[in-house]
Structures are given as C-alpha cells and as structure tokens.
C-alpha cells in the first residue's frame, strides 16, 4: 500500500508531491464521484464476505482521485465501519486470551515498523512479504482443509501480532499475517474472522489516531464520507449475506485467493522500483496498518 505523502501538490511519477497536498475546496468531478462509490462498494462487498481486504481494494483507486491524506483517512474510516458492522453482525467474539495476545504486541510493533522506515527500503519488505503470501497461500491450498499447526498458543499468537504491527508500520500490511495465521489455528470461519477482524480494527483505529495527530484532515473528506458510508453499510451487509451461504471449504478458498492476490499485487507494485535501484521519493513515514 502506498504511504502517505506530506507537503507536495501535483503528484510526480513516483507518487511524490511537488506542492501542497490538500486540494482547494471544490465539487469533485462526476466521474471521480462514481469511481469513489464503485470503489468503496466493491471493497465493502469483499470485506463483508471475507472480513478483510477493504484497504487493498479501495486504496489504489482512491489514491488516484484524492490526495494521499484524504484517501487514507477515507479508507480508514470506511474500513473501520466495515469491521464494526461485521463483528456486530456475526456476533462472534475472538477468544479473549488470543485477542489480547495479538493486539497488544501489534500496538507496540506498529511504531517500531514506522521507525524502521528510516533504515529499510519498504519496497524490499513488500516484495518479501508478497512472495511469502504467494508461497504460503499456495502451500496451504495443497494441505487438507482441517490442517492445523501443533504449536499454536498465546506466545505464537503474540509473535504474529507483533510482526503484523511491524509490517503495518513499514508497508501497511498488518492484517496479512494474522489472517494467514488464523487459517491454520484450527478455528471455524466465524472465529477466524473474529480474531483477525478485531486485530485489524484496533490497528486501523490506532492508525487513524496517528493520522489525525500528524496531518490536518481536509474539509473535502466530509462530503466524501457522506457519499461513501451509506454505500459501505449496504455493501458490507450484502457481503455478510453471502458469507452466511458459504461453507468452511469455500471460505478457506476465498481467503487463500485473496491472500495470494495481496501477495501478487504487493510484489508487482514494489519489484520494478526495487530492481531498477531508483531512490525512494521523500514521503511521510506513516502507513495505515491493515488490509
């Protein structure tokens, strides 16, 4: 996922800003409005069906039609709404010990990941985690549907949560590892969703708090939210209705396919710049944790 940019105006070819990031107050073009509605509608439908991937689907389009601060805030607020709706609608709560074991280390890991951006090339991390997700999803798909790891406990849950937080700070991928881990912990689909959705929800609220602290939110965000939130509500409920109709095998297949899509997209976007050796443009160090 693309990081926030601070300072700047028109975006350069690398996504950097050359002038002021916030746009002057004006009515958005009709095409942009339709794109926004379609974008959050598709993201909400997939999020309601699987419990994740809202930011993966929505961020690319929104970053092309909105400033980075506005797009990120919009994705975060809409994704938080989708997570809250899903958690309340499913009425399934994560095991308390597991939730705390993952979330608390994740909160610690996120600022560590942001700090590591001073010394690490985020593109390398994205290629590494993207390749891992591709190999992981392919490998798990070859195993029997009821496979579960024998070392799953609160210590391993905490390690996954911490690494998820670190990856969220570096590359905006905090939800990827908890989602992948949930598939092999032996939980049924509703419990899987409760675990990684609660983790993602807290990470995104944490991210929104950091964003509001670091950057003033643009006034255009209010109008965009007025359009987007009702669409998210309807689309997430539609996704949840589809989730109620699928069995555990199909849910597992869907999650693995989305993890593979995250891995492929992340690797494809980061690899060309990494191979070319082109320097990263100056960017704000914040990335939103979560997929």
């Amino acid at each position: 996922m693309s990081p926030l940019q601070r300072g700047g105006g028109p975006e350069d070819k690398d996504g950097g800003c050359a002038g002021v990031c916030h746009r002057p107050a004006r009515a958005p073009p009709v095409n942009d409005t339709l794109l926004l509605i379609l974008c959050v509608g598709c993201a909400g439908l997939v999020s309601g069906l699987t419990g994740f991937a809202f930011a993966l689907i929505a961020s690319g389009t929104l970053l092309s039609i909105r400033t980075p601060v506005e797009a990120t805030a919009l994705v975060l607020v809409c994704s938080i709404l989708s997570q809250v709706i899903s958690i309340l609608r499913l009425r399934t709560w994560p095991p308390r010990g597991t939730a705390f074991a993952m979330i608390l280390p994740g909160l610690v890991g996120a600022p560590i990941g942001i700090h590591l951006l001073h010394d690490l090339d985020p593109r390398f991390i994205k290629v590494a985690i993207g390749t891992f997700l591709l190999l992981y999803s392919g490998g798990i798909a070859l195993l029997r549907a009821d496979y579960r790891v024998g070392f799953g406990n609160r210590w391993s849950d905490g390690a996954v949560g911490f690494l998820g937080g670190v990856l969220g700070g570096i590359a905006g991928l905090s939800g990827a590892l908890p989602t992948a881990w949930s598939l092999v912990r032996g939980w049924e689909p509703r419990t899987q969703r409760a675990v990684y959705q609660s983790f993602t929800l807290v990470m995104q609220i944490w991210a929104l708090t950091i964003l509001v602290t670091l950057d003033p939110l643009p006034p255009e965000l209010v109008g965009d939210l007025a359009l987007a939130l009702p669409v998210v509500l309807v689309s997430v409920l539609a996704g949840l209705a589809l989730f109620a109709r699928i069995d555990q095998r199909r849910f597992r297949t869907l999650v693995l396919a989305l993890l593979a899509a995250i891995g492929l997209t992340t690797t494809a976007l980061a690899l060309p710049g990494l191979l070319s050796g082109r320097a990263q443009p100056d960017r704000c160090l914040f990335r939103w944790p979560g997929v």
Side-chain angles (χ1 to χ4, degrees):
M1 297 187 187
S2 301
L4 288 181
Q5 300 153 323
R6 181 177 297 171
E11 293 187 4
D12 60 23
K13 294 180 181 179
D14 294 323
C17 281
V20 175
C21 268
H22 297 310
R23 298 170 298 149
R26 53 184 166 82
V30 174
N31 288 344
D32 285 1
T33 301
L34 291 176
L35 272 177
L36 185 151
I37 292 173
L38 289 173
C39 171
V40 299
C42 290
L45 182 67
V46 173
S47 179
L49 177 59
T50 65
F52 71 108
F54 188 101
L56 170 72
I57 295 169
S59 60
T61 300
L62 293 179
L63 282 167
S64 71
I65 61 175
R66 296 291 186 266
T67 64
V69 171
E70 184 180 352
T72 300
L74 187 58
V75 168
L76 280 172
V77 174
C78 290
S79 186
I80 288 170
L81 175 63
S82 74
Q83 301 292 351
V84 170
I85 294 171
S86 293
I87 291 172
L88 293 179
R89 187 77 173 180
L90 291 173
R91 297 179 182 176
T92 301
W93 304 101
R96 184 175 300 178
T98 298
F100 281 107
M102 293 182 71
I103 289 172
L104 294 179
L107 291 173
V108 174
I112 292 175
I114 294 173
H115 177 73
L116 289 176
L117 284 174
H118 291 284
D119 304 312
L120 298 176
D121 188 337
R123 294 171 301 189
F124 176 80
I125 302 298
K126 288 183 178 183
V127 169
I129 191 64
T131 302
F132 165 77
L133 289 176
L134 281 170
L135 295 175
Y136 176 89
S137 56
I140 296 300
L142 297 177
L143 300 175
R144 64 182 189 273
D146 61 348
Y147 173 81
R148 62 181 298 174
V149 295
F151 54 89
N153 53 45
R154 292 185 184 179
W155 288 102
S156 55
D157 293 339
V160 169
F162 176 76
L163 290 174
V166 172
L167 289 174
I170 294 175
L173 292 169
S174 65
L177 287 184
T179 302
W181 177 244
S182 296
L183 285 176
V184 294
R185 281 288 270 120
W187 299 316
E188 55 91 23
R190 285 175 177 262
T191 303
Q192 290 177 35
R193 288 188 60 155
V195 169
Y196 63 71
Q197 284 193 258
S198 61
F199 180 85
T200 302
L201 175 62
V202 174
M203 292 300 107
Q204 289 179 333
I205 292 174
W206 180 221
L208 185 61
T209 302
I210 297 173
L211 173 61
V212 172
T213 302
L214 295 179
D215 289 282
L217 298 181
E220 295 88 355
L221 181 63
V222 176
D224 284 342
L225 287 174
L227 287 172
L229 293 183
V231 176
V232 172
L233 174 62
V234 173
S235 60
V236 169
L237 290 175
L240 285 167
L242 292 174
F243 172 75
R245 295 175 178 270
I246 62 175
D247 57 22
Q248 184 167 352
R249 180 181 60 82
R250 290 179 180 174
F251 178 77
R252 180 175 180 269
T253 301
L254 275 173
V255 172
L256 287 173
L258 274 177
L259 287 174
I262 293 172
L264 181 61
T265 303
T266 302
T267 303
L269 291 177
L271 189 59
L274 184 65
L275 293 178
S276 69
R278 185 174 55 195
Q280 282 275 90
D282 290 336
R283 298 177 185 266
C284 167
L285 296 184
F286 176 82
R287 282 160 174 72
W288 62 88
V291 296

